[in-house]
Amino acid sequence: MKSTTAISLLLFLSLLSPSLSDRCNPNDKKVLLRIKQALNNPYLLASWNPDNDCCDWYNVDCDLTTNRIIALTIFSGNISGQIPAAVGDLPYLQTLIFRKLSNLTGQIPSAISKLSNLKMVRLSWTNLSGPVPSFFSQLKNLTFLDLSFNDLTGSIPSSLSKLTNLDAIHLDRNKLTGPIPNSFGEFTGQVPDLYLSHNQLTGSIPKTLGDLNFTVIDVSRNMLSGDISFMFGSNKTIQIVDFSRNKFQFDLSKVVFPQSLTSLDLNHNKIYGSLPVGLTKLDLQYLNVSYNRLCGHIPTGGKLQGFDQTSYFHNRCLCGAPLPDCK
């Protein structure tokens, strides 16, 4: 009888004061409400009602053990303004996403540097501007950094190479200038997939990058120049390469491609020589060497005749299937 009375009393109290049964940490709730206010109380965050447990709100995740906010995911809504500095006051945050928000402007706030538990950062498909902050190098737990499809300017911070747990870094589709840092050949531990395409990068690919085994590297649609043959070799494990639409200039004839290579895009450069016979030994899913200065017979065999002529056309004197016969 006593236990029944006690349970009834607890239920009654929880009805009077919902906060007594909240899982949500009260400090986290206050911070989230500040974030909502800073974003002008958008409809996307309508579930962020102070009378409800914030662990039940949309766009956030609570840790099942600590009940602290570990993920903030604001995606594809009518959000305008800047990323609120208050995001830096969610100390247990592991995932921070502001994505597909075309009216999100301003610079990436330095308050993010306080979030030492961050593993994933996706600030992409917005109108964020200003530099790529060097403070990201302090967030040693980062495994994924995506700042793509923004209006970021300036150079790439060399300090990003200090991140030893990165699986991928996306800085593509911005307005970044200057060279690729030499330090990007000095990643220790994990070697990240590197996406730097659609910027205004200049100079040559640092030789140090040839010392690492990348899996994916995409530097297409920049203004890079020089020799990139050192990025290949029989001992490499690279799978997907896109060096297209730059000013690279080297002899392709003697390049040895690794067996791991499945996608090779070199179109719109100044590459000369002939296609190596070694290409016939690869399980290529994609190949494009068009708009270069290549000559000679397209080697017969493997997957090379399976690609149409657009993979090869607009070279100096390439010939043979799928192009017209050699004379």
Side-chain angles (χ1 to χ4, degrees):
M1 185 68 181
K2 286 183 179 178
S3 62
T4 306
T5 305
I7 291 170
S8 299
L9 181 62
L10 282 172
L11 285 170
F12 177 68
L13 287 172
S14 68
L15 287 170
L16 285 177
S17 178
S19 62
L20 289 176
S21 61
D22 276 6
R23 288 172 50 214
C24 177
N25 179 277
N27 290 329
D28 287 352
K29 178 181 261 191
K30 287 176 186 174
V31 171
L32 290 172
L33 291 172
R34 279 165 46 209
I35 291 170
K36 181 183 180 183
Q37 184 177 23
L39 294 171
N40 300 310
N41 300 307
Y43 178 73
L44 184 68
L45 305 181
S47 70
W48 292 19
N49 184 331
D51 294 332
N52 299 332
D53 185 346
C54 76
C55 288
D56 296 329
W57 294 354
Y58 294 137
N59 307 102
V60 295
D61 291 327
C62 281
D63 184 89
L64 294 175
T65 304
T66 65
N67 295 325
R68 300 302 298 259
I69 296 292
I70 57 169
L72 174 61
T73 303
I74 298 181
F75 174 82
S76 195
N78 188 19
I79 299 273
S80 59
Q82 302 186 10
I83 296 175
V87 298
D89 296 326
L90 294 169
Y92 289 81
L93 207 62
Q94 297 176 21
T95 299
L96 176 62
I97 298 175
F98 280 82
R99 192 161 186 259
K100 292 203 171 181
L101 304 165
S102 59
N103 293 320
L104 191 70
T105 58
Q107 298 193 10
I108 297 171
S110 59
I112 292 174
S113 65
K114 297 188 288 183
L115 300 173
S116 59
N117 292 301
L118 274 179
K119 294 180 180 179
M120 170 183 276
V121 172
R122 288 196 96 157
L123 311 176
S124 60
W125 294 81
T126 75
N127 272 306
L128 291 172
S129 57
V132 175
S134 58
F135 66 66
F136 280 117
S137 63
Q138 302 167 29
L139 303 177
K140 301 300 184 185
N141 292 308
L142 269 187
T143 61
F144 189 87
L145 178 61
D146 181 5
L147 306 179
S148 64
F149 289 85
N150 290 303
D151 287 317
L152 301 177
T153 54
S155 57
I156 299 171
S158 60
S159 58
L160 293 179
S161 64
K162 295 177 182 176
L163 294 169
T164 58
N165 296 306
L166 270 185
D167 293 321
I169 178 167
H170 290 257
L171 302 179
D172 45 308
R173 307 261 181 176
N174 280 288
K175 297 173 182 174
L176 301 176
T177 54
I180 297 171
N182 281 319
S183 64
F184 271 33
E186 298 165 5
F187 282 100
T188 56
Q190 184 76 18
V191 179
D193 294 342
L194 201 56
Y195 298 88
L196 305 177
S197 73
H198 294 77
N199 280 292
Q200 298 160 25
L201 301 175
T202 53
S204 56
I205 300 278
K207 282 284 185 1
T208 53
L209 268 69
D211 298 331
L212 297 182
N213 258 324
F214 290 93
T215 302
V216 178
I217 183 165
D218 182 355
V219 297
S220 61
R221 292 179 185 264
N222 280 287
M223 295 181 283
L224 298 164
S225 57
D227 185 356
I228 51 172
S229 59
F230 61 87
M231 293 297 297
F232 303 103
S234 59
N235 62 333
K236 301 287 187 183
T237 57
I238 199 158
Q239 295 177 18
I240 298 171
V241 172
D242 193 343
F243 290 130
S244 65
R245 293 182 182 269
N246 280 285
K247 300 176 182 177
F248 294 123
Q249 188 168 2
F250 63 97
D251 185 352
L252 192 63
S253 309
K254 297 175 183 176
V255 174
V256 177
F257 292 102
Q259 287 294 311
S260 55
L261 193 65
T262 60
S263 179
L264 176 65
D265 196 344
L266 301 173
N267 81 78
H268 285 84
N269 281 290
K270 300 177 181 179
I271 301 166
Y272 56 91
S274 58
L275 292 177
V277 174
L279 285 171
T280 62
K281 298 186 173 78
L282 303 181
D283 186 20
L284 288 171
Q285 308 302 309
Y286 182 83
L287 174 69
N288 194 336
V289 295
S290 65
Y291 290 91
N292 278 291
R293 299 173 179 177
L294 298 169
C295 265
H297 190 278
I298 296 171
T300 304
K303 297 287 188 74
L304 297 193
Q305 277 64 50
F307 300 107
D308 64 27
Q309 63 176 353
T310 60
S311 293
Y312 302 102
F313 69 177
H314 291 280
N315 272 288
R316 185 158 286 168
C317 46
L318 267 187
C319 58
L323 294 180
D325 291 341
C326 299
K327 295 178 181 177

